Amino acid sequence: MTSTVVEHASSNGVRKTYPAEYKAALKQQMRHRERSGGGWVDVPITDADVDFLMMKAAAYKLDPLKGQIYATWRNGAIQVGTTFDGLRALAERTGEYQGQTPPQWYDEKEKKWTDIWLSSDPPAAAR
């Protein structure tokens, strides 16, 4: 069984192709909600919404299905945001990203930071 291919232009003019299943999965993952009558209602995702997100994702070489980039709507206009995972991916490509430090908790009794918190009492601070 062959997959249908979806083609769209990226912001740099290079055409990208994706299987139709990718676009369908992305459309299913996207969510657009707006206020209406004191509550929230789901607004159907259009193919143009999906194409816009795919174009931006291709331009930055990020994957929305991996949670690196996402679409949101403000005042009826679609906008694209990048998650921390997306920012890490961009930073890693520079070759200068040194990773991140693991979380630590401050032990008030011992007056030191620790990598593991086993006490049932809450830590004084975390970083």
Side-chain angles (χ1 to χ4, degrees):
M1 176 179 183
T2 2
S3 171
T4 307
V5 171
V6 175
E7 184 177 286
H8 73 282
S10 69
S11 62
N12 64 2
V14 176
R15 299 205 62 84
K16 297 284 288 181
T17 58
Y18 294 94
E21 293 83 3
Y22 182 91
K23 186 173 180 177
L26 184 54
K27 188 173 189 175
Q28 187 175 20
Q29 177 192 27
M30 293 171 71
R31 188 169 189 193
H32 179 181
R33 302 192 85 203
E34 290 185 3
R35 273 194 194 276
S36 177
W40 291 92
V41 294
D42 286 326
V43 176
I45 303 298
T46 67
D47 286 341
D49 293 336
V50 177
D51 289 342
F52 183 77
L53 179 58
M54 289 175 68
M55 180 183 69
K56 291 295 186 178
Y60 292 103
K61 297 180 183 149
L62 296 175
D63 190 341
L65 292 181
K66 289 182 180 177
Q68 296 175 333
I69 191 169
Y70 64 94
T72 187
W73 285 259
R74 183 163 296 152
N75 298 324
I78 189 171
Q79 298 179 343
V80 175
T82 306
T83 66
F84 285 121
D85 287 340
L87 293 173
R88 283 186 197 104
L90 293 170
E92 285 174 358
R93 287 184 210 148
T94 67
E96 296 180 29
Y97 181 59
Q98 297 177 3
Q100 57 199 50
T101 58
Q104 292 185 317
W105 294 267
Y106 189 72
D107 188 336
E108 187 68 41
K109 293 176 188 170
E110 299 289 324
K111 305 286 188 219
K112 68 176 186 176
W113 290 94
T114 181
D115 294 336
I116 300 172
W117 190 258
L118 300 175
S119 173
S120 58
D121 296 327
R127 64 177 180 189

